[in-house]
Amino acid sequence: MKNNQSNFNEHEVLHELKHFLPAQAPLKDFIHHNTLHSFQNLKFYDALHQAAKIFGFKTTLSLNDYRNLHKKGRIDTEVLERIIEAKKGKAELELWKNKLFKKQFDYQIDSRIGKLKANWKNNYKIDMDALVHPLLFRIVCSYLDQGIAIWNFPIEHKGFLSSIRELERMSYSSIFNSKRVKDLLLDNNCSIEHLLEILVGDETLYAQYLYDQQFAHQGWSGMVSFIEDNPNALLDTKKITLHDFIVFELLLEINALDSQYGNNWKPLKDNLKERPTPLFAPVENTELNEVIMLWQDVYEWTYYDQVLAGVQLGYDNKAPKKAKSFQALFCIDDRECSIRRYVEQNDINCETFGTPGFFGVEFFYQPKNGKFHTKLCPAPVTPKYLIKEINTRGNKEKDVHYSKKSHSLFQGWIISQTLGFSSAFKLAVNIFKPTMSPATTSSFKHMDKFSQLTIENKNINQREGDLQIGFTVDEMVVRVQNLLNSIGLIENFAPLVYLVGHGASSINNTHYAGYDCGACSGRPGSVNARVMSFMANHKKVREILANKGLVIPDTTQFVGALHDTTRDEMEFYDEDLLNETNKMLHEQNKKTFEKSLDENAKERSRRFILTNTKDSAKKVHEAVKLRSVSLFEPRPELNHATNALCIIGQRDLTKYLFLDRRSFLNSYDYKIDLDGTFLTNILKPIGPVCGGINLEYYFSRVDNQKLGAGTKLPHNVMGLIGVANGIDGDLRPGLPSQMIEVHDPIRMLVIVEHYPEIVLKAISQAPETYEWYNNEWMHLVSVNPVTRKLQVFENGQFVPYNPLITKLELAPNLNHLVESTEENFPVFLFNN
Amino acid sequence: MEKIIQLFILIPLLGFIISLIIPSQNEKLISLTAFTSVGINFIGFVIFVIYWLFNGFPVLNLKEILIYKTTNYEFLLDFYFDKITVVYLFVGSFLTFLVTIYSRYYLHREHGYKRFFNTILFFYVGYSITVLSGNFETLFLGWEILGISSFLLISFYRERYLPVKNAIKVFSIYRIGDVGILLAMWMSHHLWHENITFLKLNNYELVHEHLQNHSWIGVFISLMILISAAAKSAQFPFSSWLPRAMEGPTPSSAIFYGSLSVHIGVFLLLRTFPFWEYQYSVRVIIGLLGLITAIMGSLTARVQSSVKSQVAYASLAQIGLIFIEVAAGFETLALIHFAGNAFLRTYQLLVSPSVVSYLIREQFYNLTPRVHSSKFALPKRLQYTIYMLSLKEWNLDWFVYQFIWMPIKLVGRKMKFLNFKAALVLFIIILIGAIAALQNESAIPDQVHRFLPELIGLFGLLLVAKSFAERQSVMVSWTLVLMNNIMIALAISFN
Ligand SMILES: [Zn+2]
């Protein structure tokens, strides 16, 4: 990353540049990831300081924010003192307290990005960005467009630059005003190096110039870079490279200068008064950084301390194991945290589990009539299997308002005088009485409830391309066994075991893909739940499992289901396959679920100010459902906002803690995994999935303008791949403010119920897993399964931790609790 | 019956004023004020229209507040009510009503919640005044309020760079519309020697008689009206501002630029139709302008890859057709077309975020290998040329930059000698002097008296030019326009 090399190595610079650009997928595949993934090789705080200094991002709350949180009691003084003493020594306590509370600091961070390119403005009074960006964005958007424009980019499959060259060659009009620039393009005399020679002139500045240029619109650059690496991220695939994009931008820049000044301008180096600091020169640490670092630590540990105290104090379930009425597996998703609590309360004999919502089956899914395959497993996995939907009922509805015909002149003339009046009616109806429409994204549309799936592969030759259709019995056995072992469900099976995937519903929501199950690559988990149930119900599979010692009684049946987290509705699949007894039991359980869904909706509603939480659960639930189909509702649900914890262990660890929907819960029984084999596998996705979600929320929250998408209200959809402000703005990666406004920006605390040495062994298996904890992008605590003693992972080893809190309040009646406030709750204990 | 008309301005005005004094944390009360005042207005209006229909839909005219009067000049607010008013007010009230309810939830917790509703109500006041106006002066008042509220809504996210830049851009184009109307007003005083009401324009003999002797003035006035209408309705060559106005929250873009604000140009044409009805050359020009816009606009719409700009261009292409309809004299058709277009585009903009999930799902099930989608079998070279021109918006943005901003900037630089303070001082001196002079009009020597209106008028024009060149502060720019209006009133009173 040195800039003062004498030779400009284009390949190397582009490679590094791509690494730093945002890596967000087009809208249809919104997948959470660490926004500052390019800094993950550094310690968390070092990364924050560097990113702030180099790219001008805000990477933490402001000093005032922390001080206000402290005033409000959200940051605890005792924790603060403990942390200062530990980090700075007892002697310096007062000194640092003074710095934290009172000292005035100069906040201005003079970031390095853009300094070199700013010289155009200083020397030539030319606002290059204003002249170049609108056209650049419009052309690249038209090229990548997935179906908004009626008239597509006329040439494609040649690559971006070649297409433009062809267009230029074959047209009477030109993108450029400058003949020279047109010739540069047509004569193919436009290597990046050559163009930079014209513009900049000094090899040692080239790399920095490119960074300045690309980070002036990191949204589009990131999108181009992402599509270059993942061409299948677009259904209508496009060939584009960051290289082509940069060349085109450089051409536009020369064009802007030429048309303003003709020949009367010189490369940047000629008028350069002083060389700007190289971007990646060492960043010095400041006292303000130290102070912020302490504040952030205190902020985080104020909350963690409560949780850890709760884990120690929580009611220890020594009661003898009774027969279970039913068992239900939910996704580890933090949104399922509360529904599990309600289900357990409404049927104290049931048992719930958490596991990543793809239920251990990885495959591509092709719905009936679908032209493409959808991946239904965590994003990094590439499945070898295909599940197809066949024999559906019902048709897909259409809405003529999205028809592009209304945009053409004569059809538009007719349409605006006819359909126009029905729009008025539709608008009025949606405002006064919102209902489902073809435009609503609903998790239940993902798969037809009554369709059939091609799950079993009876003949290995059944393939499509390089995908095998369905799973063989042996492949099923492995997956069922892994799933049940990983959550510790290997005996005491209830008559009914539910596998509940989850998804979301919304309308007028460009980020809809980010609302579904992250473990299913941002899709609902219904197909996975059904597929896994089929496998676990399969006779042969059970026979083989029994031979391996995992006996599932014949009376036990698995049922796939889908929980819509926005509407709090559930749908069950293949109910007609249940035997008579189970059918009856199922009807009873459905009532339990229904009641729990009402109560869950009520708990969620406390964050929705315009819904009256004090109404009865049923009534609130109706209001919550209405939100999901209302055009005017920018917050159909709050998604992962407030996420902060990931708990890996038995349910008893937190069953009697009120965690306020802030926790990912992964069931795990250390007793059947004494050497930590399953644990290694469980921990592998926790970083990229839970950590990715947590950090994306963190960064979108602390810098909603640069790292988040800003408010979604003025967003404009660009080419179906991203959103921008207005028509000339840059793409806005990250999360809109409506998704993060209630989020507390703290890192995730992972709590594992196992001996520290086993946990250490488990995270050490893969360097990429180890990096998450060692570089402090997530915190890790081990809970001794027998003594419940706590150990924190710090600097490569586990050290004991004793919570400051020794007593937790007993929660009042939950019903009253959720009615009381919209703010975050502290951790409470509760008894049934 | 006439008296009731003014209620449809007073109610929104009252709502607007109340909304100003509510503390900004009180979201509930703010939105409540907004949608009750708009709602009451809407319902009251519907009832009134029914009553009006039963009375045989007479044309109503209400001479209201007298602002200023001398022996040969009176400046008054005048209201007018006919079929055109009914359609415009109905569509406007209905959409504003729906959008206020919509925004009540949509803007929840948004920074600037109060500011948004203030501006919407202010806009609604301006819209009502405009469509109810009975003379140019009243119309201009509403017109200005529309301009200011547009500016405020485009720059709603004022901490960002692009919204503010685009707001100034749009505001400047609106200035062109202002100048057009001002000049039209100015010349029509010359023509009629009075504040002509729209009612009188219906009087064929009167109009005909005046125009016969001053046919060039007539053409000039009509062209100025056309320029104003074209600027406000984003017609050729001003089209490129419309998509750039889509910077505020989606609902405000929807009613402003999707529907109401952008159709005001059409309203102006409909309203002044009797004036230029017999100037066939003007009608041809209006029709041609509409045709050019319709063609360019729909071609540009075809290549847009962002939802809002696509709707914007499609909408202005339809307005081009409406211009043709108006020019051809199909008033009713134009009104129906206006209402349909306004409803459709509002809805399309409001649901524009849904387009992602909807079209991607469509694509998932229906993507077919790309066929060449241009319907006309044009030679490749021509196809590519049209594509590229449409992509570049037919260079209209560049054109406006080159032929409007650059000259204005130049004029502005030349006028540096007259800074705002100096202009203000000069303005006050002239105002006081002129008022004093008016009190003793008989004492002024004839030779001086003859030049007074021209002198004052010239100063007024200077103010307009200055306001045009003013790119820093919108308030200053607008104050200058206001001062110009007063100067014009003064000049006229010396006539
Ligand atoms: Zn999930």
Side-chain angles (χ1 to χ4, degrees), chain A residues 138 238 399 438 711 713 719, chain B residues 110 250 305 358 361 370 391:
Chain A
R138 193 157 347 123
K238 306 281 176 173
D399 186 334
T711 168
L713 305 196
Chain B
E110 192 76 351
T250 304
S305 49
Y358 184 80
R361 195 164 54 229
R370 196 80 78 71
L391 202 58

Side-chain angles (χ1 to χ4, degrees), chain A residues 113-114 117 129 133 196 199 208-218 221 245-247 249-251 253:
Chain A
I113 195 81
K117 218 177 150 222
D129 290 352
H133 287 179
L196 282 171
L199 274 164
Q208 188 159 5
Y209 189 82
L210 289 183
Y211 272 90
D212 280 6
Q213 188 194 49
Q214 295 308 301
F215 273 87
H217 48 71
Q218 50 160 328
S221 303
F245 183 64
I246 290 176
V247 168
E249 181 164 9
L250 290 168
L251 287 170
E253 289 188 345

Side-chain angles (χ1 to χ4, degrees), chain B residues 190-207:
Chain B
H190 266 274
L191 189 63
W192 311 99
H193 298 288
E194 67 166 326
N195 233 306
I196 186 80
T197 61
F198 296 139
L199 184 71
K200 280 193 188 158
L201 285 184
N202 283 330
N203 183 337
Y204 169 72
E205 279 79 32
L206 181 83
V207 173

Side-chain angles (χ1 to χ4, degrees), chain A residues 331 333 357 502 517-519:
Chain A
C331 182
D333 198 292
H502 68 99
C517 183

Side-chain angles (χ1 to χ4, degrees), chain A residues 27-28 127 130 135 138-139 141-142 145-156 167-175 177 235-236 238 367-372 374 396 398-399 401-402 406-409 411-413 415-417 419-421 423-424 426-428 431-432 438-441 445 507-510 512 609-610 631-632 634-635 705 711-720 725-729 732 738 741-742 822, chain B residues 27-28 94-95 97-99 101-102 104-110 157 159-162 165-166 243-244 246-251 294-295 298-299 301-311 314 317-318 321 325 333 336-337 339-341 343-348 350-368 370-375 380-393 398 401:
Chain A
L27 288 173
K28 80 172 174 58
D127 188 352
L135 196 57
R138 193 157 347 123
I139 289 174
C141 186
S142 299
D145 178 30
Q146 291 293 292
I148 289 183
I150 303 163
W151 190 354
N152 299 310
F153 207 84
I155 307 151
E156 38 157 21
L167 195 63
E168 278 287 320
R169 184 174 292 135
M170 293 290 290
S171 151
Y172 297 114
S173 171
S174 171
I175 296 170
N177 302 331
L235 292 180
D236 187 0
K238 306 281 176 173
K368 180 96 185 283
N369 298 327
K371 294 252 159 88
F372 298 91
T374 306
K396 304 259 180 311
K398 293 204 175 198
D399 186 334
H401 282 93
Y402 297 92
S406 68
H407 300 304
S408 77
L409 194 57
Q411 298 187 53
W413 185 65
I415 287 174
S416 64
Q417 303 194 37
L419 189 67
F421 293 93
S423 326
K426 277 191 108 156
L427 183 60
I431 284 174
F432 294 106
T440 320
T441 312
K445 290 183 189 165
I507 187 167
N508 247 359
N509 180 12
T510 49
Y512 65 100
I609 303 190
L610 298 175
L631 281 176
F632 46 74
R635 300 168 190 80
Q705 286 315 314
T711 168
K712 74 200 277 189
L713 305 196
H715 279 172
N716 185 11
V717 178
M718 314 299 284
L720 300 181
N725 287 61
I727 71 158
D728 290 334
R732 311 247 5 217
Q738 281 77 8
E741 60 199 354
V742 299
E822 38 154 324
Chain B
E27 278 192 7
K28 256 193 186 147
F94 180 67
L95 285 177
F97 180 54
L98 290 187
V99 164
I101 298 181
Y102 188 99
R104 178 180 170 210
Y105 300 93
Y106 199 65
L107 267 98
H108 171 53
R109 290 184 79 141
E110 192 76 351
Y157 296 104
E159 64 287 350
R160 293 178 58 80
Y161 168 72
L162 271 179
K165 185 183 147 199
N166 282 331
R244 284 172 183 77
M246 308 275 180
E247 293 278 2
T250 304
I295 292 171
S298 62
L299 282 172
R302 295 177 77 85
V303 307
Q304 292 304 311
S305 49
S306 90
V307 186
K308 287 184 180 172
S309 61
Q310 186 177 50
V311 175
Q318 290 301 317
L321 291 182
E325 291 159 7
L333 180 62
I336 295 174
H337 197 167
N341 195 40
F343 290 142
L344 179 68
R345 306 306 167 185
T346 303
Y347 187 69
Q348 281 179 333
L350 285 179
V351 300
S352 68
S354 297
V355 93
V356 185
S357 51
Y358 184 80
L359 286 182
I360 284 186
R361 195 164 54 229
E362 278 284 286
Q363 199 185 23
F364 189 88
Y365 291 102
N366 299 320
L367 186 78
T368 40
R370 196 80 78 71
V371 280
H372 254 294
S373 43
S374 174
K375 268 186 252 161
K380 231 180 198 174
R381 200 168 263 273
L382 201 56
Q383 257 187 50
Y384 289 180
T385 307
I386 296 177
Y387 180 82
M388 197 181 277
L389 280 172
S390 303
L391 202 58
K392 291 178 82 180
E393 301 171 295
W398 172 83
Y401 179 79

